[in-house]
Amino acid sequence: MTLTQQLLTIAVVALGTMLTRFLPFLVFTKGKPTPRYIQYLGKVLPGAVFGLLIVYCLKNVTLLAAPYGLPEAIAILAVIAVHFWKKQILLSIAGGTVLYMILVQFVFV
Amino acid sequence: MNTRALRAAFPHTLPVFTGYVVLGISYGVLITSQGFPFWMPTLTSLTVFAGSMEFVLVNILLGAFDLLQAFMMTLMVNARHLFYGIAMLDQYKSLGLKKLYMIFGLTDETFSIVCGMEPPEGVSKSKFMLFVTLLDHSYWVLGCTLGGIFGSLLRFNTKGIDFAMTAMFVVIFLEHWQKEKSRVPAVLGLALPVGCLLIFGADSFMIPAMLAILAALTILRKPLEKAAEQEVLL
């Protein structure tokens, strides 16, 4: 991407974000109840989106050639373990990332 | 009056301070490690101001130029913000121009404070909410800027640091997993994208995956709503 294309992309992402934040104030005026379908999506969508984002992060991992996705699998298991153990969001993220960096820099080189 | 509101708001934002500064630094180091200039994280923290989306933005910027896909992804990732807005409709209604900035800055964390906390007596709620928004935004800009500077100065091997984004989403996924009554949305959110990835390939699976999730959630609305009825509202 050129710098112009990058700036355009950032502008579109900023616009999309603002749309999600401003839309309720533009559409739902006082006294008019929020459509039930929208309320429903608000409850179920967040749970689904983060699974999607995990897959998005891992989309370029190759399972059929070395290292067969092992660094990712090990680090994700570590994140899950640390998270259930300590329940500290930042600790789980930092621990998993450091472990992953060690794995790809020193173990699976 | 303003100082009192600021003083009342500050202690509530301290947990956000830690979180935003640490995550902001990670994000700044991450994006500069991918070859972007040091001012990039400051720019996105000022304009986009949506943490998860900015991590996703790094990947988008590294891929092919595709505004439609970037826009669709933003809507999906940030769709939850619609509901923060809905929850704050009444409180933000009559705040004049301040309101525009407060809606702009309505992140997950800011929402959790302005929605859940009441200011002490004698401090106006609207000023309290404004300062919470302003403080949280400054923490994020501060973290991202520091990260951008560290990232472009530090010369250590950053290979693998992009895993911070995966780790963050895994943690948020786990939080939802433990909190939600129904795990069906979470399972769909993993399974449908994996299916689409196998069918469409890494470069074009996101839009089909988002549509598949929306379709599946719409089809399963009746049973899922039944499960959700036992839940406390939002």
Side-chain angles (χ1 to χ4, degrees):
Chain A
M1 264 193 233
T2 63
L3 183 63
T4 318
Q5 289 177 330
Q6 287 176 5
L7 293 178
L8 273 172
T9 305
I10 294 173
V12 160
V13 169
L15 187 80
T17 304
M18 286 314 111
L19 190 65
T20 59
R21 289 192 185 149
F22 276 91
L23 204 60
F25 295 89
L26 302 172
V27 175
F28 306 119
T29 41
K30 223 180 193 170
K32 240 203 262 168
T34 315
R36 299 249 320 166
Y37 178 62
I38 300 290
Q39 288 183 21
Y40 163 71
L41 281 185
K43 276 193 184 159
V44 291
L45 212 47
V49 161
F50 289 99
L52 170 76
L53 289 174
I54 295 173
V55 180
Y56 175 73
C57 290
L58 299 172
K59 67 181 163 51
N60 292 316
V61 175
T62 44
L63 295 176
L64 299 174
Y68 307 101
L70 277 176
E72 287 78 12
I74 295 169
I76 287 176
L77 288 176
V79 170
I80 297 172
V82 172
H83 196 63
F84 281 122
W85 177 39
K86 286 286 180 188
K87 305 245 176 261
Q88 289 280 331
I89 292 178
L90 294 173
L91 181 73
S92 318
I93 297 175
T97 307
V98 170
L99 176 64
Y100 182 79
M101 289 173 76
I102 293 171
L103 289 175
V104 294
Q105 287 182 23
F106 301 108
V107 183
F108 298 95
V109 264
Chain B
M1 190 61 212
N2 279 343
T3 14
R4 284 191 64 190
L6 180 62
R7 264 198 220 140
F10 179 66
H12 291 291
T13 64
L14 276 177
V16 184
F17 174 80
T18 334
Y20 275 18
V21 170
V22 173
L23 271 183
I25 291 177
S26 327
Y27 165 70
V29 171
L30 167 65
I31 191 168
T32 45
S33 77
Q34 306 293 322
F36 292 97
F38 76 93
W39 46 262
M40 196 58 114
T42 311
L43 174 73
T44 66
S45 63
L46 280 169
T47 54
V48 179
F49 191 28
S52 323
M53 195 54 219
E54 286 175 70
F55 276 91
V56 175
L57 181 61
V58 181
N59 268 25
I60 294 182
L61 290 174
L62 288 172
F65 180 60
D66 186 345
L67 289 181
L68 178 69
Q69 178 164 321
F71 189 66
M72 292 273 298
M73 278 199 71
T74 312
L75 294 187
M76 283 293 282
V77 174
N78 287 334
R80 64 188 189 283
H81 291 161
L82 285 170
F83 309 98
Y84 303 159
I86 291 168
M88 297 311 288
L89 274 178
D90 287 345
Q91 300 210 52
Y92 278 14
K93 202 101 221 177
S94 49
L95 296 177
L97 278 180
K98 279 199 294 254
K99 176 171 89 169
L100 294 180
Y101 176 71
M102 290 163 69
I103 298 172
F104 160 83
L106 198 54
T107 61
D108 308 70
E109 290 74 14
T110 300
F111 170 75
S112 68
I113 300 175
V114 295
C115 179
M117 312 282 181
E118 286 297 324
E121 226 168 284
V123 173
S124 91
K125 174 94 196 236
S126 70
K127 283 211 171 112
F128 174 79
M129 295 191 296
L130 174 69
F131 279 117
V132 170
T133 312
L134 194 64
L135 285 168
D136 286 354
H137 194 192
S138 359
Y139 303 153
W140 182 241
V141 175
L142 173 74
C144 293
T145 305
L146 287 177
I149 295 167
F150 292 160
S152 44
L153 289 179
L154 292 180
R155 285 286 161 262
F156 68 97
N157 187 352
T158 54
K159 188 179 177 201
I161 199 168
D162 51 333
F163 190 78
M165 174 161 94
T166 317
M168 180 175 81
F169 293 142
V170 169
V171 168
I172 303 176
F173 180 86
L174 292 175
E175 295 270 302
H176 278 284
W177 182 263
Q178 290 173 295
K179 204 178 61 191
E180 305 292 336
K181 278 261 157 60
S182 166
R183 285 166 180 176
V184 176
V187 172
L188 289 174
L190 273 181
L192 294 173
V194 169
C196 290
L197 179 61
L198 294 174
I199 299 169
F200 297 97
D203 293 328
S204 42
F205 82 105
M206 277 306 278
I207 289 181
M210 292 186 259
L211 294 175
I213 289 174
L214 272 181
L217 289 176
T218 307
I219 292 166
L220 294 173
R221 183 175 164 190
K222 279 234 166 81
L224 285 177
E225 273 191 328
K226 220 170 225 172
E229 265 168 26
Q230 302 151 14
E231 236 175 317
V232 193
L233 197 70
L234 277 174

